[in-house]
């Protein structure tokens, strides 16, 4: 008896039924927000949100480029919030001078950082010695007086936590480095004067909000790579530094 021939439409319909049988259970869910990276955007007394779309764009790039599962939106927090620890990655941005923190806010941020929290500070105004730069240096010196801001060395694990970085990015190039405050060797605070958020920000129509000078689009790409590296470092700290030695360790054991 000759084999029965079926039409292409019937064959594809059969595949659809098989795929449905192998589909995930209907109660399967993606990661909840509690399991995702949620960035806490610090609200302070100055211009605290100069680049409203920046963090959303960074989250999109993190999801596209890495295995990090970021929340779609940042969470607005205040330094005195009792639940500050629920967002272990904080982002503090500003343009222009910032009023002094209250002592309770300084104590809360100090405790947050000493217990493993991480803070990225981003100067949107390109200031150097005045404006937001002067304000944030004043506050960080009060929060961690034993840990002065210092340039991050080019061979630090931050520069290779995901991308290998050998330059800086941002809307501007005020400084050819980022600075950091360390606690027991861990970078607890990273500070950029180059307006990373200005390089990340995109309009609702998909256009870049600001040009990057003097380096153009290559400078913008570096700003995104810095953001990815910072997120990786905030989540994993020095794991990458240990991993680079693994081939040598295995070679010695063989």
């Amino acid at each position: 008896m000759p084999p029965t021939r079926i039409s292409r439409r019937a064959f594809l319909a059969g595949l659809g039924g098989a795929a449905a049988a192998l589909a995930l259970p209907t109660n399967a869910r993606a990661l909840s927000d509690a399991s995702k990276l949620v960035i806490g955007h610090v609200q302070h007394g100055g211009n605290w949100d100069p680049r409203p779309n920046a963090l959303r764009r960074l989250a999109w790039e993190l999801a596209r480029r890495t295995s990090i599962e970021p929340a779609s939106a940042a969470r607005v927090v205040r330094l005195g919030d009792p639940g500050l620890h629920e967002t272990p990655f904080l982002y503090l941005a500003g343009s222009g001078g910032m009023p002094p923190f209250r002592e309770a806010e300084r104590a809360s941020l100090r405790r947050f950082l000493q217990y493993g929290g991480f803070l990225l500070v981003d100067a949107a105004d390109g200031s150097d010695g005045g404006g937001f730069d002067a304000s944030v240096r004043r506050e960080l010196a009060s929060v961690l007086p034993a840990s002065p801001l210092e340039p991050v060395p080019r061979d630090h694990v931050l520069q290779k936590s995901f991308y290998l970085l050998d330059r800086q990015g941002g809307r501007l190039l005020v400084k050819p480095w980022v600075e950091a405050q360390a606690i027991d060797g861990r970078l607890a605070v990273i500070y950029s004067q180059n307006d990373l958020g200005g390089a990340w920000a995109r309009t609702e129509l998909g256009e870049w909000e600001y040009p990057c000078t003097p380096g153009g689009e290559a400078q913008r790409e570096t700003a995104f790579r810095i953001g990815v590296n910072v997120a990786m470092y905030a989540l994993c700290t020095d794991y990458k530094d240990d991993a680079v030695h693994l081939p040598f360790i295995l070679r010695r054991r063989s």
Side-chain angles (χ1 to χ4, degrees), residues 43-206:
Q43 183 177 6
H44 53 77
N47 182 7
W48 63 275
D49 194 16
R51 310 288 183 241
N53 296 319
L55 289 180
R56 184 169 59 180
R57 184 65 192 184
L58 176 62
W60 190 89
E61 292 289 344
L62 285 172
R64 184 176 74 89
R65 300 177 185 221
T66 75
S67 59
I68 295 174
E69 290 271 2
S72 58
R75 180 184 303 168
V76 177
V77 299
R78 289 182 175 272
L79 293 179
D81 290 349
L84 194 65
H85 64 281
E86 295 175 2
T87 51
F89 183 156
L90 297 182
Y91 176 75
L92 173 67
S95 180
M98 179 175 59
F101 296 158
R102 291 181 287 111
E103 190 51 49
E105 292 175 323
R106 293 189 183 117
S108 177
L109 180 57
R110 182 181 304 116
R111 184 166 55 251
F112 171 86
L113 296 172
Q114 289 175 338
Y115 278 85
F118 175 83
L119 173 66
L120 172 62
V121 183
D122 191 16
D125 58 1
S127 55
D128 190 17
F132 183 75
D133 178 63
S135 298
V136 81
R137 289 182 185 277
R138 176 196 68 218
E139 295 306 318
L140 292 178
S142 296
V143 171
L144 295 177
S147 304
L149 278 168
E150 296 181 342
V152 177
R154 295 186 65 178
D155 61 349
H156 191 275
V157 64
L158 175 68
Q159 315 287 17
K160 54 189 174 183
S161 61
F162 191 83
Y163 291 107
L164 293 176
L165 299 176
D166 60 0
R167 67 194 70 183
Q168 290 302 309
R171 179 179 64 87
L172 304 169
L173 281 183
V174 179
K175 290 285 178 65
W177 56 72
V178 295
E179 295 176 85
Q181 287 177 291
I183 299 177
D184 295 330
R186 172 183 64 88
L187 303 188
V189 179
I190 293 176
Y191 174 38
S192 171
Q193 291 179 246
N194 296 331
D195 190 12
L196 294 171
W200 299 337
R202 207 162 195 166
T203 69
E204 296 298 332
L205 297 177

Side-chain angles (χ1 to χ4, degrees), residues 243 245-254:
H245 298 296
L246 185 59
F248 303 99
I249 295 173
L250 294 176
R251 192 177 305 133
R252 288 179 64 92
R253 293 184 61 183
S254 62

Side-chain angles (χ1 to χ4, degrees), residues 9-23:
R9 178 177 298 179
F11 176 72
L12 293 177
L15 284 182
L22 295 174

